[in-house]
Amino acid sequence: KKVSRMEESVEVKPPATEDNIEVKPGSDPTEFAKETAKDDVDEKADAILHHEKFGMREIVIPLGEKEIRFNPLTSLFAIAFLWGLAAWCMSDPEGSRDKLVEFRGDVAELFTWFYVGTNPAFMFFIIWVAYRFGDIRLGTKDSTPEFDDITYFSMLFSAGIGVGLFFYGVAEPLWHRGSHWFAESGYRAQDEIDMFALNLTVFHWGITGWSQYLIVAICAGLASFRFNLPMTLRSCFYPMLGDYAWGWIGDVIDGYTIVTTVAGVCTSLGLGAFQIAAGLKRVGAIDKDISEDDLTDVHLYSIWIITALATISVVSGIGVGIKYLSQIAFGLGQLLLFWVFTMEKTNYILNLMVQEIGYYFQWTIFQMNFHTDAFGQLNHGEGRAVDGNSAATWFMDAWTIFYIGWWVAWAAFVGLFIARVSKGRTIRSIIFFSYACPLVYTILWFCVFGGVGLRQVRQAEELQEMGLAMHNNSDFFQNSEDDFCYDVPQVPEISYTGLDNSTKTFSNTLMGVTPVCLFNSGDDQTAWFNVLNSFSYPNDFTNGLGSFLSWVSIFSLSIYFITSSDSGSLVVDNLASNGFEDAHWIQRVFWAFTEGGAASALLVSGGQSALRALQAASILSGLPFTFFLIVMCQSIVKMCTVAEENDKEDTNVTLEEDYHRKRTFAMPIFGGIFNIFEVVLSFGKVHEKRAEISQINGQEVSGFFTAILAPFIPLNKIYSMARPKAADSMGNKFWVITYTIFYYLTVGLFCSIGKSPAFRGIGWSTMAIAACILCAIRSTVRSNNKIEGNVVADFICSMFIWPQVLVQLEKELTEKNNTPTEEDEVGKEEPAVEKPKVEEASA
């Protein structure tokens, strides 16, 4: 029954119409149309059979011409976890926000090294994959891309970073004028600080942010389009988990991914509503003194209008709604970029672009990519600099770690979407459009909008200084409508005596660009609209071009939010339906409304505090997902190796065949006692595909608890079987006794942490020593039996799931000793062979 997955791939044909039916001479067009329709039905049936052969948990409800298909465990896990988290945020918005932000701060403090270290590692890994396996396609060797390059980049950009560029395009460089290690060094000039602020912003949004997306995109795309596995995240783990990926472990992976995706989209919808409302205030569409209740209504209207349009888009399909909306949003962004570029100080912006390219390659690729601000995160009393010239202790948590966690939390959503639209493309092409193109566009975007924001803030500071020098009032040029904005005198030059008694000349070379605004950190959402509103010319217009540009921006921003919502709904529906791409449209509607409903509920009950709490929870989810990404890197190498061999040798080896031809432990590290979850969640009726590997073995269960309470018992058996020679007897006893001492010492030390924090450090040391001993014997058994693996995995398993390692090794060696060798089999067969039969055979 083993059939190659590549041979089962379904070629999608267009529906039969009068225009595309080729009628042979003498044939009946009606009969031919019936036969074509029958072929379409057969293809759909084949697709369903292919989907069902993986044996994943699934509920099927016929509804009209299509069926509702969803994984009950994945869906219920995601819905329960998501709404449970949302309920906490709604019932106690301030408390949940404070607690989750505190958790996020603890993660940043303890795992900055991990977040920052893995980020460039992922980047260099992707670059290596582009060099080593760049010609491999996400599909068959002769497949072609589904979308043209411009449409493809627009869709990637809209799902990946489109929304954020509007929110942070002006505000972030202004935020970075202080608080970080460069600005607080005490000897930098303002020009240096502002240039670094822009470069730090581009670093946060540059290629390192796309590395996590690409790992998921390449891994899922290869699994689905090259090896014909379902388009879900669990498929990325098949090279490591085998058929366990289709069981409870895969259900948890997909359910967890749904939670992070929906939480991220909900947060974006809510925060997007705040920015849209800020824009509507700026253009006068709503009153600046609007009441809180009325403002909440505006936020809700924004969310549900976006949700409704996103629902229509996602129902229309990826080739219609998502495609065209992405093109419109990208086009409007281009127009805004061009208008601001040409109406502001263009030569300054061009200088800034060239300068930023140099700064990016000088500072970002290595220095900033690995910068953890180790000294700046020290508190007073821990060794903080006494000169006071250190970064704020919260800076890394609030910015760099926030961004890395946010990229990782969105990696599944954006990565799966990129994979979905990348069918037929080579790995090198995908990396180019996700690395080079976004980097260039990010530099252009922030140099235009961020550069203009920085220039206008500096000009406002000049006006403050000029007002103080000329009129002894720094607010002399202050705008009547906004205390943070200043009216630029519409004359070519003003000469005055500065505060240092020198003669200065204020030259206005940008007539009509007024007012210019300082940065209001308490209302950073208005920074974007302050820049657009500064274009007040032609002078005979009451509001100039500012209002027009703001309206275009609001419209473009709304479309970007729509594309984020519909892309998220599409990905979540794929995950909930086990990757079945022809599921009923009502499922996508359900998830789109779930996102809008959760965002609305959070907004009504807790306002921005509840949304920030959910955002913090979403970012916290990035920590465990980083481990997922590490495993996916291994899967990418495995899948690329198999694909490359298939291309060279013109073979068609599937991932299933490759997995089963390698030597593995008799009991996987995720098997044994963990099979209880599969049996319980299947209500005792495990699917036949996983029935054999999911059996509950009483010895494995009892062995697990024995390994926890008395690890020396299984360890002694393991050493006796792995090293049976009499000469090794004393050594075996030494290592068993040593391990036992350090094991119980570790337990005692961790139980005593409350008495002295020093016990924690000693406990980790003793735990590591015990893990090294167990790692050594596992590596020996693995090498002697030619089992696939590596010493890093040996150590990690020995450190954190030692009971499973002990059960695994004992079972492996016991089965090996009970299995007859080839010599034994030959010896048994020889007496049974009679001489006459041999002669007869010879004759």
Side-chain angles (χ1 to χ4, degrees), residues 443-523:
I443 291 175
L444 291 175
W445 187 273
F446 281 108
C447 284
V448 172
F449 291 103
V452 169
L454 286 167
R455 191 203 67 77
Q456 292 188 359
V457 165
R458 291 162 65 100
Q459 190 176 22
E461 292 170 346
E462 280 190 289
L463 290 171
Q464 280 185 320
E465 193 265 350
M466 189 169 71
L468 188 63
M470 295 178 64
H471 308 283
N472 199 31
N473 180 10
S474 61
D475 295 333
F476 180 81
F477 296 100
Q478 191 175 75
N479 183 269
S480 59
E481 296 182 2
D482 193 326
D483 294 342
F484 284 86
C485 296
Y486 293 80
D487 294 320
V488 182
Q490 296 301 294
V491 294
E493 291 184 354
I494 296 178
S495 296
Y496 66 98
T497 302
L499 297 177
D500 56 356
N501 294 322
S502 64
T503 301
K504 295 185 177 181
T505 300
F506 181 90
S507 301
N508 185 5
T509 59
L510 295 171
M511 303 293 287
V513 180
T514 184
V516 292
C517 302
L518 298 172
F519 179 56
N520 180 6
S521 60
D523 191 16

Side-chain angles (χ1 to χ4, degrees), residues 22 48 157 182 275 294 354 547 565 698 735 842:
E22 180 184 354
I48 293 174
F157 188 81
F182 193 92
Q275 191 174 16
D294 291 339
V354 174
S547 295
S565 179
W735 289 118
S842 300

Side-chain angles (χ1 to χ4, degrees), residues 308-318 320-323 325 562 566:
L309 294 174
T311 303
I312 297 172
S313 172
V314 77
V315 169
S316 66
I318 196 170
V320 181
I322 296 176
K323 173 184 174 180
L325 284 176
I562 292 170
D566 59 16

Side-chain angles (χ1 to χ4, degrees), residues 78-91 93 258-271 273-274 296 299-300 303-304 307 565 569 572 589-615:
I79 292 171
F81 194 98
L82 177 68
W83 281 104
L85 180 63
W88 179 37
C89 297
M90 289 185 287
S91 62
I258 291 175
V259 172
T260 59
T261 300
V262 175
V265 173
C266 284
T267 304
S268 294
L269 281 174
L271 297 180
F274 283 101
T296 300
H299 294 154
L300 291 175
I303 289 174
W304 281 106
T307 300
S565 179
S569 302
V572 170
V589 173
F590 168 78
W591 289 111
F593 274 68
T594 296
E595 295 161 2
S600 301
L602 288 164
L603 194 62
V604 171
S605 60
Q608 196 163 359
S609 295
L611 287 168
R612 293 291 184 186
L614 186 63
Q615 184 186 44

Side-chain angles (χ1 to χ4, degrees), residues 52-58 73 243-249 251 672-697:
E52 292 179 345
K53 78 172 191 172
F54 297 103
M56 292 177 279
R57 256 175 288 273
E58 193 168 55
L73 179 59
D243 289 336
Y244 282 90
W246 315 131
W248 73 273
I249 299 177
D251 294 341
I673 193 172
F674 295 130
N675 288 340
I676 293 175
F677 292 105
E678 182 65 36
V679 175
V680 172
L681 295 172
S682 301
F683 300 101
K685 297 180 180 180
V686 180
H687 192 278
E688 59 182 8
K689 186 175 180 62
R690 299 184 305 277
E692 184 177 351
I693 63 174
S694 301
Q695 292 179 358
I696 299 176
N697 187 310

Side-chain angles (χ1 to χ4, degrees), residues 125-421:
F125 172 77
I126 289 296
I127 294 173
W128 174 79
V129 168
Y131 169 76
R132 177 66 181 80
F133 300 110
D135 293 329
I136 296 175
R137 289 188 179 274
L138 269 60
T140 57
K141 288 192 297 183
D142 56 349
S143 58
T144 56
E146 187 176 358
F147 302 98
D148 62 79
D149 291 346
I150 295 178
T151 301
Y152 178 68
F153 178 66
S154 300
M155 296 170 79
L156 262 62
F157 188 81
S158 299
I161 61 174
V163 170
L165 292 186
F166 281 80
F167 191 89
Y168 292 103
V170 175
E172 185 172 347
L174 302 182
W175 269 110
H176 292 333
R177 299 187 86 207
S179 300
H180 54 79
W181 59 276
F182 193 92
E184 300 299 328
S185 60
Y187 62 89
R188 305 285 186 183
Q190 190 61 52
D191 290 351
E192 294 178 286
I193 293 173
D194 288 346
M195 188 63 228
F196 188 86
L198 182 65
N199 189 49
L200 182 59
T201 303
V202 175
F203 159 65
H204 286 153
W205 290 87
I207 59 177
T208 50
W210 284 80
S211 302
Q212 294 89 337
Y213 295 169
L214 280 170
I215 289 173
V216 177
I218 294 172
C219 196
L222 284 170
S224 181
F225 299 129
R226 184 75 185 206
F227 294 102
N228 223 12
L229 299 183
M231 177 59 81
T232 66
L233 200 70
R234 70 174 76 200
S235 297
C236 297
F237 294 84
Y238 186 85
M240 304 299 153
L241 299 177
D243 289 336
Y244 282 90
W246 315 131
W248 73 273
I249 299 177
D251 294 341
V252 172
I253 290 173
D254 283 347
Y256 179 77
T257 306
I258 291 175
V259 172
T260 59
T261 300
V262 175
V265 173
C266 284
T267 304
S268 294
L269 281 174
L271 297 180
F274 283 101
Q275 191 174 16
I276 290 173
L280 293 175
K281 281 184 181 180
R282 200 63 158 127
V283 298
I286 58 176
D287 191 356
K288 291 185 178 180
D289 299 324
I290 188 173
S291 66
E292 285 295 325
D293 291 339
D294 291 339
L295 186 60
T296 300
D297 291 339
V298 172
H299 294 154
L300 291 175
Y301 290 144
S302 301
I303 289 174
W304 281 106
I305 290 173
I306 291 172
T307 300
L309 294 174
T311 303
I312 297 172
S313 172
V314 77
V315 169
S316 66
I318 196 170
V320 181
I322 296 176
K323 173 184 174 180
Y324 292 120
L325 284 176
S326 298
Q327 291 175 334
I328 293 171
F330 185 73
L332 290 174
Q334 291 286 86
L335 281 176
L336 283 172
L337 185 73
F338 179 76
W339 286 335
V340 174
F341 173 73
T342 53
M343 291 190 296
E344 246 281 352
K345 193 170 178 60
T346 304
N347 62 321
Y348 153 76
I349 296 174
L350 290 171
N351 289 338
L352 200 59
M353 287 178 183
V354 174
Q355 188 165 293
E356 171 54 30
I357 292 172
Y359 266 71
Y360 188 84
F361 286 103
Q362 177 185 355
W363 288 89
T364 304
I365 301 300
F366 286 100
Q367 184 168 342
M368 292 177 68
N369 242 336
F370 290 91
H371 184 75
T372 61
D373 202 13
F375 296 111
Q377 291 197 67
L378 293 174
N379 294 307
H380 288 292
E382 297 176 336
R384 190 165 177 81
V386 295
D387 60 6
N389 296 329
S390 294
T393 54
W394 50 261
F395 184 82
M396 288 296 289
D397 169 34
W399 288 104
T400 302
I401 302 304
F402 165 83
Y403 270 121
I404 296 175
W406 191 244
W407 296 130
V408 174
W410 275 56
F413 154 42
V414 180
L416 286 170
F417 180 77
I418 293 175
R420 177 63 184 81
V421 300

Side-chain angles (χ1 to χ4, degrees), residues 702-733:
S702 61
F704 181 87
F705 293 105
T706 301
I708 293 177
L709 300 174
F712 56 87
I713 296 176
L715 188 61
N716 184 57
K717 295 179 181 178
I718 291 167
Y719 269 102
S720 300
M721 290 185 286
R723 303 170 59 181
K725 296 180 180 179
D728 297 325
S729 177
M730 290 299 296
N732 292 346
K733 292 179 181 178

